[in-house]
Amino acid sequence: MTGRGQPGRLASGGLVDRSQTLGFRFDGNAMTGHPGDTLASALIANGVVLAGRSFKYHRPRGILTAGSEEPNALVELRTGPRREPNTKATTIELFDGLEARSQNRWPSLGFDVMSVASLLSPVFAAGFYYKTFMWPAGFWERVYEPLIRRAAGLGRASGQPDPDSYETAFAFCDVLVIGAGPTGLMAALTAARAGARVILCDEDFVFGGRLLAEQFTLDGISGADWAVSITAELAQNPGVTLMRRTTVFGAYDHGAFGALERVGDHLPVPAPHTPRQRLWRIVAKRTILAAGAIERHIVFGGNDRPGIMMASAVRACINRFAAAPARRLGVFANNDDGWKTVADCLRAGIAVEAVVDPRPVISETLRTLAAQAGARLFTGATVLDAFGTANGLQAVDIRTSSARIETVSVDGLALSGGWNPSIALTCHLGGRPVWRDDLAAFVAGGTPAGMAIAGAATGAFDLRSCLADGARSGAEAAEAAGFTARAVETPTATEETLGLMPLWSVPGARTKAFVDFQNDVTVKDIEIAEREGFRSVEHLKRYTTLGMATDQGKTANLNGLAIMAALTGRAIPETGTTTFRPPYTPVAIGAFAGHHRGKQFRPTRLTPSHDWAAEQGAPFVETGQWLRAQWFPKPGEADWLASVNREVRAVRSAVGVCDVSTLGKIDIQGVDAGALLDRVYINSFSTLPVGKVRYGAMLREDGIVMDDGTAARLADDHYVMSTTTVNAAKVMQHLEFCHQVLWPELDVQMVSVTEQWAQFSVAGPRARDTLRKLIDPATDISDAALPYMGVTGIVACGGISGRLFRISFSGELAYELAVPARYGDGVIRALVAAGAEYGIVPYGTEALGVMRIEKGHPAGNEINGTATASDLGLGRLMSRKKDFIGRIMAERPGLTDPGRPGLAGFMPVDQAVRLRAGAHFIGLGAPAAARNDEGYMTSVAFSPSLGHWIGLGLIRNGPARHGQRVRAYDPVRGGDIEVEICSPVFVDPEGARLRV
Amino acid sequence: MSEPTPMPRSPFARPLAALGPSEAGAGITVMARDGLALATVIGRKGKADDLAERVEALFGIALPAGPRRIAAGRIAFVGAGPGQWLAVADSSADPNALAIRLARDLAGFASVAEQSDSRAVIRLSGPCVRLVLAKGLPIDLHPRAFGPGDAALSAIAQIGVHLWQLDEAPTYEIAAPLSMAGSFADWLIAAGAEYGIARTGSHCEGST
C-alpha cells in the first residue's frame, strides 16, 4: 500500500477538497487524502479494509461506522510523547503528516501471532477469568494477569509526559443545542432568531449531521448546502456560539453540562498558545438534545469481518467522503432507510450484488430500485454467515425465504438493523429509558430539568419530522428562557419511510457471531451467561463484559439485550433497559486537569520573605499550599542537620529570625468577641487584659483537640487570634459556624487577616537588642514595659506601622513582629542587618521544629485527631467556670481514663542511637505484638542543646512514668531500641529564659 | 535608625515581569493595582441602619445590599457577604489611613479590619478579557448577566477572588490573596497567551 493513488476515491462528489492533498501514514505506509476526510474515510479511499485487531481474539477488524460509536477501527494516533491509543479512526480529522498505527497486533496487522487466541476461543468465553484462573491464588498477580494483559488490551500509552497543554473553561447560554444535524440546526436557528444566547455543539468538524451523509434535498438545494447556509446565518448572529469538534459528554445538576472541545486534535501540533483540548462546563437555562440516532447492527456469523459496515456509514463514505468502501456490495437491511444505500451506490457506480431484506413484503419502489441496480433481491431472507480473510470480505451465505442457502460473492456488506435514539445524556441524572414497541427502540423515559429532546433522538427518524421538531423545540426553549419566538418556516424536504421489522440476531450461524465488537462478546457468550444464571441485564453485562468497552456498547447493548430476551422468553423491556453514564465518549484526564498539572496542580502560597529566603539558598518545604524555608545552608556544612544544629544553637545563644506568616490570623471584633472566644477555647479569654496574649486550645464537639494557638486582646472589643498553619481555614470555618449557626445573637465580627501580615519570630537572648534597633524609640519594649505575653502597636524601620507580640515557641526571649505583608521583604532584610552584630541567623521550619520538641510543645504530630487536652498535658487549662465546645464530650469515661496514652518525652538509653518517629512503645521483655502496644513516638529531633536525639510520644499513663524504660519498636525500619520516659520539656523547664 | 525605610514590594512585580508593555493587538491588558487601600467593614449587630446612614453621610454612598460596587470619588464599597463590605480607596499615599479613618468614623456601627496588604489587586481590560476570564471564572460575564457595578466572590484556578466590573469597556478588577499572586499570574498568563497579553504599567510608583 504505497504510492499516491487513492484507488477507492470516487471521481466526483463528496465534501472533500480535492484541490489539496494531505499526506499521512498508516502502519508506516505513505498514503494521501484530502481536507474533509477522516482517517477512516482516507483509509477507505486508499483501499484499506483492515484497520486493527480485536481486543480478545485478535480478529481482523475493519471500519464499522462513520461516527463516535465506532467499536472496531481504534488506532494509535501520532508518535513519540504525543502517541494516543484507542482513538477512533472515524472521528480523527485527517491532517497533513498524520501518523497512525493499528493496535493489538504482532508482528504485523496482516499476520498476527496472537490471533491463535481465536482458535482457543472456547477458553476465552464468558466468565473465563472467574473459572480458569482460580488456582493457585498466588498465580493471579504474578502469572495470569500479566499474561492476559499482554494478550488482551488495546493501544499503548506513550509513557512520556504529554507535551501539550489542556484548558478548562466556563460558558453560559439561554439555549444549549446538542447536535447540529437538521434538528439541531433548526432549533438553534429558531432560538437565535428569538434573541436567545445560543450555544450549538457538535462532535463533528462540520455541522450538518446526516445531511452531510445522505442525498437529501431541502428547499431545492442539497442537504449539505442547506446546512452551510444555516450555519452561515448562525455565525453572523453575535448571540450564537458555534462549537464544532465539541462533544457534550455529560449532563449534570442545575443545567450544567460537560463538553470536550478538540481544539488542536486536527492539527499536527496545536497552534501556539492554544491547548490540545478544552474542557467546558456549560450552564444552560434550556437544553435541546438533538443528538440524533445510532444505527444498530444485526448479529450473524462472521459479522465482524472487515468490509461489513453499517449502511449509514457506507452512505457517509459515498456521499460525504467520496470514498467507495466496496466494489461489489451486498445490502442487508430490515428497513427502508437501509435501502437508501442501494440508490446511492447506483448513483456512485458501485455494483450492488444482492439486497437481503428479512421483510417478506417490500414496496414496489424498493423492488424497482433493486432491479435498477441489477441486484439480486432476497426478501424474507437473512445473511447467515460472512466469509473472508484479513484482507476483506469474500462472500455471504444467505438463507432465503424458502430456507435454502445461497452464497453470493461480495467484497462489502452494508448492514442496517434500524436506529436507536441517542439518549445517553437523558440518563446521566438517573433517567431510565422506556421501550417503544412501535419503534422497536428505547426512548428517553424523562429528561433532566430544562432539557427537551428533539428529532431522531426522540425516535422521529424522518427528515421532515426532524426539521419541524427542531423548529418547535427551538421556539419553546427560547420562550422558556424569556424570549418571544416567531415561527420559522420549515424547509421542504425529501420524504422518508422506515417500515422497520425488528431483527436482532440471525439464528443458526455456523461461525462466530459478535454482539459487542470492542469487547469481543459473542452470541455464545450470552448463551453461556443465560445457562449459568446470569440473566439479569446487570449480571449479563458483568459476566460477559457486554457494553463495558470504551464505546459503552453503543452498537451492542440492545442486540445483546434482545438475544437474552429471546433466550429467556421475555420481552425486551421485561429483560432490562440499557442505560448510560457520563462520559458519552472517553475524555482524557489531562482535559479535566486543565491548567492544574505539575507545579500548577494547586496554587502555591509564598511567604512575604520568600524571595529573600530563596536568595539565601534555602530549600523549601510544602506545608499545605505554603512553601516555607526549611533551613538556611551555609558553605561548608555537611548536611541539613549541620545547618539545623547551627540555627538552633544560634537562637539559644544569640538570636534568630523565622518567617511565621503562614500561621492563621483571625481578626475578631464586637461587644461579644470575648464571649465567643470563651465558648470556643477551653480556657478563658474574656478575662484577658487589653495588651496581653494568652495561649489557648480549642476542642471539637467530640472533646478531641482541634487546634491551638494564641489570642491577643488589642482593645476591649478587639482580639486577634492565631491558629496553626494547617488549620487556619478550618478554624475560620469553625468560628463562622459557631457564630452564624450556634450563637447568632452574639455581636461579633470576624475576618481572616492571615494575608495582611508578614510576621517574623525574633528569638534568642539578643532578640530585644536586635528589635530595639528597628522599633521606634517612642515604644518601650523593655521587659518591664512589654513583659512575656504582652502585645503592643509599634512603628518599625522609621515608618511602618505594625504589632509586636512577646510570645515564644522556642522557649527563648522571643517576639513576633507583624508588619503589612508588602513590607515583609524589606523588614526581613532590615532585621538581618540589625541583628548582624549579635550574630543573628535566619532559621527554618526544621530548627523551629527542633526547638518546639526541646520545649515539649505539642504540634500537628501530637494534635492528631485522637488526643484530648489532658492527653497533651493541657488538662489544667480546661476551665471549670464556663462552658465551651467539647466540654461535655471530653468528660466521657473513655476520654478521662488515666491509662490513655499521654504526652511524655523520650531519650535513648544509649545516647548515640537515633530515635525514629512512628516507633511503637512496648514493655521491656514483652513480645512485639499489637496487644502489647502502649503508644507511639510522635516527634523526634536531634537536640543540639543536649547533644543527643530526643522524642515526644503518647504512651499509656505517660506523665506518671518518667524514669521508666520501654522498647521503641520500629519494624518498618528495623529499629528496636531502649528508651527512657522523661518530661517532655527538655530545655529550661522553669521557663526562666522566657522572662528576661 | 540610619537605614532607609523599606519600600513596599508589589506582589505582581516578579510574576508579571515577563510580560511586555502594552502594544496594539493585545487581547488582554493587565495592570497591577498596588496603591489601593482596602479594609473589611462588617456591620455590628443591629446597627445596619445606623451604618448605612453614616456611610451615606460620610461618602455619599448607599451601601449595596448584594454583590455590587458603589463608588463615589476615590472610595468604593464592594459587597462581600451579608452585612459585609470591602472598602476600596484609590490612594497612593498611606493605605493604612483608610482603615484607621473608617474605624474611627464608623465606631460602634461597624468593625473595620485593615486589608490593604492582604490582597493583590489587578485590573484587566482589552477586547478578549471576557474570553480569558471564562477560562477560570465560573461566572457569566455576558453584559446581560454582569455589568458595571456588579461584583462577585468566586474562585479562579482554585484561588479565591473578589471581582468587580468598573465600566462597559469592560474593565474588571480582581482581588486575590497576596500570597497567591504568583499562582494567579501564572494562570492569567497561560489563559491570556492565546489572545496576546500585555502590561499597561503599574499604578504604584513605589513598587519595585
Side-chain angles (χ1 to χ4, degrees):
Chain A
M1 195 66 56
T2 54
R4 303 184 66 79
Q6 296 178 29
R9 184 71 71 186
L10 298 173
S12 62
L15 303 174
V16 294
D17 176 6
R18 288 183 180 74
S19 69
Q20 291 182 59
T21 298
L22 307 174
F24 71 101
R25 283 177 180 274
F26 180 66
D27 280 342
N29 298 315
M31 303 181 192
T32 60
H34 300 297
D37 264 326
T38 61
L39 173 60
S41 72
L43 288 173
I44 288 168
N46 282 271
V48 176
V49 173
L50 179 61
R53 290 271 175 176
S54 74
F55 178 64
K56 199 155 77 177
Y57 300 128
H58 291 240
R59 301 261 299 191
R61 290 283 164 81
I63 295 159
L64 184 71
T65 73
S68 64
E69 69 272 29
E70 177 63 31
N72 279 344
L74 308 183
V75 300
E76 287 175 1
L77 183 62
R78 302 188 167 85
T79 57
R82 288 194 167 87
R83 188 173 75 205
E84 190 180 351
N86 305 338
T87 59
K88 303 177 193 90
T90 49
T91 62
I92 298 165
E93 200 173 336
L94 194 69
F95 56 83
D96 198 46
L98 179 150
E99 287 195 51
R101 246 170 124 259
S102 56
Q103 298 186 160
N104 213 24
R105 82 289 187 281
W106 186 84
S108 73
L109 185 53
F111 175 75
D112 175 70
V113 169
M114 294 304 286
S115 59
V116 292
S118 203
L119 304 175
L120 298 173
S121 60
V123 176
F124 289 93
F128 87 103
Y129 293 101
Y130 311 119
K131 295 171 188 164
T132 314
F133 300 115
M134 295 293 287
W135 181 90
F139 269 40
W140 177 253
E141 268 181 40
R142 282 180 289 126
V143 182
Y144 299 140
E145 190 177 327
L147 265 177
I148 293 165
R149 286 204 183 281
R150 198 173 312 144
L154 293 165
R156 306 158 304 153
S158 81
Q160 298 173 53
D162 188 336
D164 297 323
S165 66
Y166 298 80
E167 247 174 32
T168 53
F170 300 89
F172 302 83
C173 60
D174 297 311
V175 180
L176 169 66
V177 182
I178 301 166
T183 309
L185 286 170
M186 279 307 288
L189 184 72
T190 312
R193 283 186 184 170
R197 288 165 67 194
V198 174
I199 294 177
L200 176 60
C201 296
D202 197 289
E203 59 184 350
D204 207 332
F205 54 94
V206 184
F207 283 167
R210 290 303 300 167
L211 294 176
L212 310 175
E214 307 284 3
Q215 292 285 341
F216 287 137
T217 302
L218 285 84
D219 279 346
I221 58 175
S222 78
D225 286 344
W226 182 84
V228 167
S229 73
I230 300 299
T231 304
E233 178 182 333
L234 291 170
Q236 291 297 311
N237 187 324
V240 176
T241 305
L242 300 178
M243 299 178 73
R244 294 176 182 83
R245 306 182 178 98
T246 303
T247 306
V248 178
F249 63 78
Y252 303 93
D253 285 319
H254 309 301
F257 293 84
L260 183 75
E261 181 187 9
R262 288 170 293 278
V263 180
D265 275 351
H266 62 296
L267 305 169
V269 173
H273 307 305
T274 64
R276 171 168 296 287
Q277 296 173 347
R278 189 179 283 137
L279 188 96
W280 289 91
R281 192 177 89 186
I282 302 173
V283 181
K285 286 184 186 150
R286 284 290 181 280
T287 302
I288 297 166
L289 180 66
I294 294 173
E295 195 168 26
R296 60 199 185 204
H297 67 135
I298 300 170
V299 180
F300 55 88
N303 60 335
D304 66 327
R305 289 275 165 214
I308 299 176
M309 291 177 79
M310 303 313 305
S312 57
V314 170
R315 298 197 298 280
C317 274
I318 295 170
N319 296 319
R320 176 173 174 183
F321 301 111
R327 291 190 190 83
R328 294 169 293 112
L329 192 75
V331 175
F332 180 23
N334 64 352
N335 62 81
D336 293 355
D337 188 66
W339 276 79
K340 281 189 216 152
T341 318
V342 180
D344 293 351
C345 283
L346 189 60
R347 201 176 294 112
I350 297 167
V352 180
E353 298 292 325
V355 184
V356 183
D357 194 323
R359 296 175 294 181
V361 180
I362 58 169
S363 71
E364 202 48 47
T365 317
L366 297 184
R367 290 190 168 279
T368 310
L369 181 58
Q372 283 173 343
R376 294 178 65 188
L377 176 61
F378 298 89
T379 54
T382 52
V383 172
L384 193 60
D385 284 289
F387 305 98
T389 67
N391 293 321
L393 194 62
Q394 290 171 329
V396 290
D397 273 4
I398 296 163
R399 181 161 54 200
T400 68
S401 54
S402 54
R404 277 184 302 108
I405 306 292
E406 287 226 26
T407 301
V408 176
S409 169
V410 292
D411 65 356
L413 182 70
L415 186 60
S416 178
W419 293 83
N420 289 332
S422 191
I423 52 170
L425 290 171
T426 68
C427 301
H428 288 180
L429 291 171
R432 301 289 290 179
V434 294
W435 179 256
R436 264 181 62 184
D437 260 328
D438 60 326
L439 296 173
F442 281 107
V443 297
T447 56
M451 182 193 280
I453 320 173
T458 67
F461 296 123
D462 72 292
L463 178 59
R464 289 178 178 181
S465 301
C466 286
L467 293 165
D469 208 21
R472 185 187 49 75
S473 60
E476 283 176 4
E479 296 268 358
F483 298 86
T484 306
R486 269 173 307 195
V488 172
E489 205 173 320
T490 313
T492 59
T494 315
E495 187 181 355
E496 290 182 285
T497 56
L498 190 60
L500 175 86
M501 186 189 88
L503 176 63
W504 310 104
S505 178
V506 177
R510 289 155 300 180
T511 56
K512 209 181 279 290
F514 286 86
V515 182
D516 182 328
F517 295 108
Q518 198 181 342
N519 263 357
D520 268 353
V521 179
T522 64
V523 173
K524 203 173 207 171
D525 292 323
I526 296 175
E527 288 167 356
I528 292 172
E530 191 275 330
R531 252 194 337 265
E532 298 184 355
F534 297 97
R535 290 168 196 137
S536 140
V537 71
E538 298 298 331
H539 287 151
L540 168 67
K541 169 181 167 181
R542 282 159 183 83
Y543 200 55
T544 62
T545 73
L546 172 74
M548 291 176 77
T550 59
D551 66 351
Q552 284 196 47
K554 290 185 181 70
T555 56
N557 286 343
L558 188 52
N559 293 75
L561 196 58
I563 292 166
M564 180 58 85
L567 287 170
T568 54
R570 293 175 295 177
I572 288 174
E574 283 179 79
T575 309
T577 53
T578 60
T579 187
F580 305 91
R581 278 173 266 182
Y584 179 70
T585 49
V587 182
I589 294 294
F592 284 105
H595 175 69
H596 300 289
R597 60 191 261 192
K599 283 193 168 181
Q600 306 295 343
F601 178 68
R602 61 179 180 183
T604 301
R605 300 176 77 177
L606 300 183
T607 63
S609 67
H610 181 87
D611 287 359
W612 174 83
E615 287 168 25
Q616 311 308 308
F620 294 94
V621 61
E622 288 183 21
T623 54
Q625 293 178 320
W626 291 100
L627 290 185
R628 299 187 71 181
Q630 216 169 352
W631 65 87
F632 292 83
K634 288 272 187 224
E637 285 175 342
D639 59 10
W640 67 275
L641 191 55
S643 304
V644 172
N645 289 341
R646 171 183 51 75
E647 290 169 15
V648 171
R649 279 192 290 263
V651 173
R652 299 240 180 267
S653 64
V655 59
V657 58
C658 180
D659 191 328
V660 293
S661 311
T662 60
L663 272 72
K665 296 176 273 293
I666 302 171
D667 185 276
I668 302 169
Q669 301 189 41
V671 174
D672 298 321
L676 177 74
L677 294 186
D678 280 351
R679 296 181 193 188
V680 295
Y681 278 124
I682 60 175
N683 46 337
S684 210
F685 280 78
S686 56
T687 55
L688 181 70
V690 171
K692 291 293 181 187
V693 188
R694 186 168 285 168
Y695 171 82
M698 54 182 78
L699 306 187
R700 306 190 311 218
E701 195 68 74
D702 66 359
I704 300 295
V705 177
M706 182 169 86
D707 199 51
D708 71 340
T710 62
R713 191 165 198 172
L714 304 178
D716 270 343
D717 59 354
H718 191 185
Y719 293 79
V720 60
M721 173 192 284
S722 77
T723 73
T724 59
T725 299
V726 65
N727 283 329
K730 191 163 130 191
V731 171
M732 183 77 211
Q733 190 180 24
H734 177 63
L735 293 184
E736 289 282 13
F737 173 81
C738 290
H739 181 217
Q740 293 183 30
V741 179
L742 302 183
W743 308 304
E745 70 278 8
L746 294 184
D747 181 17
V748 177
Q749 297 78 42
M750 58 190 127
V751 65
S752 170
V753 291
T754 306
E755 293 279 339
Q756 167 67 21
W757 300 100
Q759 200 146 317
F760 298 104
S761 166
V762 183
R766 308 308 295 268
R768 187 181 297 122
D769 297 329
T770 302
L771 286 167
R772 186 71 279 168
K773 292 171 71 179
L774 296 185
I775 305 285
D776 188 302
T779 307
D780 184 357
I781 61 168
S782 68
D783 185 50
L786 184 64
Y788 179 56
M789 298 307 259
V791 58
T792 183
I794 52 94
V795 173
C797 302
I800 304 169
S801 296
R803 295 170 184 158
L804 188 65
F805 303 82
R806 183 152 168 210
I807 51 179
S808 178
F809 199 45
S810 59
E812 300 298 325
L813 165 67
Y815 299 83
E816 287 190 13
L817 173 64
V819 295
R822 281 178 174 80
Y823 290 97
D825 182 79
V827 167
I828 185 72
R829 293 170 200 273
L831 277 168
V832 170
E837 64 176 294
Y838 309 113
I840 196 169
V841 298
Y843 64 98
T845 54
E846 292 295 331
L848 190 79
V850 170
M851 289 188 281
R852 75 100 189 159
I853 294 169
E854 288 183 332
K855 289 296 293 181
H857 294 310
N861 294 9
E862 288 77 33
I863 303 175
N864 59 7
T866 65
T868 65
S870 297
D871 295 342
L872 299 175
L874 304 173
R876 67 196 147 73
L877 283 184
M878 292 170 78
S879 172
R880 306 206 168 272
K881 296 179 192 154
K882 66 177 181 87
D883 198 9
F884 55 87
I885 288 181
R887 183 180 67 82
I888 298 290
M889 297 296 265
E891 288 170 6
R892 285 179 289 170
L895 297 192
T896 51
D897 181 351
R900 282 178 62 83
L903 186 71
F906 296 86
M907 294 187 292
V909 171
D910 173 357
Q911 294 199 340
V913 174
R914 176 177 184 167
L915 298 183
R916 296 284 190 180
H920 279 251
F921 301 124
I922 291 166
L924 294 178
R931 66 180 180 279
N932 296 322
D933 191 7
E934 298 193 31
Y936 73 102
M937 193 90 80
T938 50
S939 303
V940 300
F942 179 81
S943 167
S945 312
L946 302 180
H948 59 78
W949 285 82
I950 59 172
L952 298 177
L954 293 163
I955 186 168
R956 195 167 295 159
N957 209 7
R961 295 172 64 182
H962 296 177
Q964 294 181 18
R965 292 180 177 184
V966 290
R967 286 165 75 185
Y969 179 64
D970 179 22
V972 176
R973 285 157 294 200
D976 189 359
I977 60 169
E978 200 173 326
V979 294
E980 182 179 319
I981 307 172
C982 59
S983 161
V985 188
F986 293 90
V987 170
D988 186 26
E990 302 78 29
R993 296 188 195 180
L994 296 166
R995 301 180 172 85
V996 290
Chain B
M1 280 302 146
S2 54
E3 297 292 322
T5 301
M7 298 300 287
R9 187 179 163 89
S10 165
F12 287 120
R14 209 164 48 87
L16 294 182
L19 290 187
S22 185
E23 56 190 63
I28 178 168
T29 53
V30 306
M31 181 168 85
R33 299 277 285 139
D34 287 316
L36 290 183
L38 308 174
T40 298
V41 177
I42 309 177
R44 293 236 166 164
K45 191 170 176 57
K47 299 289 198 254
D49 294 342
D50 299 316
L51 175 62
E53 275 174 35
R54 183 64 66 89
V55 170
E56 175 84 52
L58 287 169
F59 305 107
I61 287 176
L63 274 180
R68 297 274 303 163
R69 173 187 183 271
I70 310 279
R74 299 183 70 155
I75 190 165
F77 283 78
V78 190
Q84 191 167 146
W85 297 268
L86 186 68
V88 183
D90 203 340
S91 95
S92 55
D94 179 10
N96 290 331
L98 175 70
I100 292 167
R101 180 186 169 194
L102 289 174
R104 187 189 64 221
D105 291 348
L106 305 178
F109 301 150
S111 294
V112 176
E114 164 66 68
Q115 299 280 20
S116 300
D117 283 55
S118 71
R119 307 282 194 276
V121 184
I122 196 162
R123 181 178 284 184
L124 304 176
S125 55
C128 301
V129 64
R130 285 194 183 97
L131 295 170
V132 174
L133 286 175
K135 296 185 187 184
L137 186 71
I139 283 181
D140 189 2
L141 294 183
H142 188 277
R144 281 187 204 163
F146 199 93
D150 279 327
L153 279 163
S154 188
I156 291 178
Q158 305 173 24
I159 297 168
V161 296
H162 201 171
L163 159 137
W164 50 87
Q165 184 171 342
L166 295 176
D167 58 32
E168 283 178 356
T171 305
Y172 302 94
E173 284 182 346
I174 295 177
L178 192 87
S179 68
M180 300 196 213
S183 285
F184 182 82
D186 287 342
W187 168 81
L188 182 63
I189 290 168
E194 178 178 358
Y195 306 103
I197 179 166
R199 210 158 37 130
T200 52
S202 174
H203 179 84
C204 179
E205 57 272 28
S207 66
T208 54

